[in-house]
Amino acid sequence: DTAAADLRRIERDLHDGAQARLVTLAMDLGLAKEKLPHDPHTAAHMVGEAHDEVKLALQELRNLARGIHPAILTDRGLAPALTALATHCTADVTITVDLPRRPAQAIEGITYYTASELLQNITKHSNAHTAHLDIWHTHHHLLLHLTDDGQGGATTHHGTGLTGLTQRLNAVDGHLLIHSPTGGPTTITAQLPWR
């Protein structure tokens, strides 16, 4: 279900974003080509605008590709990827990653997206000033532990974010534990199989 939802999101993002921009770009270049023999000044201006559109389309495609699987995660692993994520969080996030080696690619990806969703929730809902994200390895599991000093009230009963995380973790026999009383603090622990 999660994979199907992700594919629908990617298809929608491509259709509404880069694809529509590229169709417009093709039409603009066609008009510029027609104007070139008779009005080269206008044609040159249109080509300049098309060049700007290409840059925007490339940026949209890069952003979409990052959403599928970030290059920094593939190239450098969880610690650098999570550090990059934390720069977009409104809270001051401290990150500790203590892993003997990289986990299986699927587990690493799920860990990344779990952390991403949790950090986004801090920005959107918690009003937290500080957060601590710790990831470590036990004999058979990878554990992710996030605490923040926000207003609490995080639950799987409202919205889709934490519910989606729970389903994603359940798909690999993982677990999501939430302790978030009203008034805070919030503590969320995700347990994933190491392999």
Side-chain angles (χ1 to χ4, degrees):
D1 289 345
T2 300
D6 285 345
L7 285 172
R8 285 192 299 273
R9 176 187 59 79
I10 292 165
E11 181 181 23
R12 188 174 58 249
D13 289 348
L14 279 171
H15 181 270
D16 297 342
Q19 181 179 331
R21 193 176 296 281
L22 289 171
V23 167
T24 302
L25 175 64
M27 292 189 318
D28 290 346
L29 285 173
L31 291 172
K33 182 179 175 183
E34 289 177 9
K35 287 190 177 289
L36 189 58
H38 311 294
D39 190 356
H41 180 71
T42 301
H45 179 71
M46 293 174 74
V47 169
E49 289 179 345
H51 185 248
D52 292 338
E53 285 292 310
V54 167
K55 291 178 184 176
L56 291 172
L58 285 172
Q59 186 59 48
E60 284 184 8
L61 289 170
R62 283 189 199 103
N63 290 340
L64 181 62
R66 278 192 205 104
I68 295 169
H69 198 83
I72 190 171
L73 179 62
T74 303
D75 296 342
R76 298 178 56 201
L78 273 172
L82 295 176
T83 300
L85 270 181
T87 62
H88 301 293
C89 186
T90 53
D92 182 18
V93 183
T94 303
I95 296 174
T96 304
V97 177
D98 184 13
L99 300 175
R101 60 192 179 281
R102 291 181 75 165
Q105 188 175 16
I107 298 303
E108 189 175 63
I110 292 171
T111 303
Y112 174 85
Y113 286 112
T114 299
S116 176
E117 179 70 29
L118 295 176
L119 292 172
Q120 285 178 40
N121 284 348
I122 289 174
T123 295
K124 292 179 188 173
H125 307 297
S126 78
N127 294 322
H129 300 291
T130 62
H132 301 277
L133 175 61
D134 300 299
I135 296 178
W136 70 97
H137 171 259
T138 66
H139 188 58
H140 295 294
H141 296 99
L142 182 148
L143 294 168
L144 179 155
H145 185 77
L146 180 69
T147 60
D148 71 60
D149 63 355
Q151 64 191 10
T155 176
T156 57
H157 303 303
H158 306 293
T160 58
L162 292 176
T163 302
L165 280 185
T166 301
Q167 292 169 347
R168 186 175 287 216
L169 291 168
N170 286 346
V172 293
D173 296 327
H175 303 285
L176 188 70
L177 305 172
I178 302 168
H179 181 72
S180 185
T182 301
T186 295
T187 302
I188 298 179
T189 303
Q191 176 184 289
L192 294 92
W194 180 251
R195 289 283 169 197

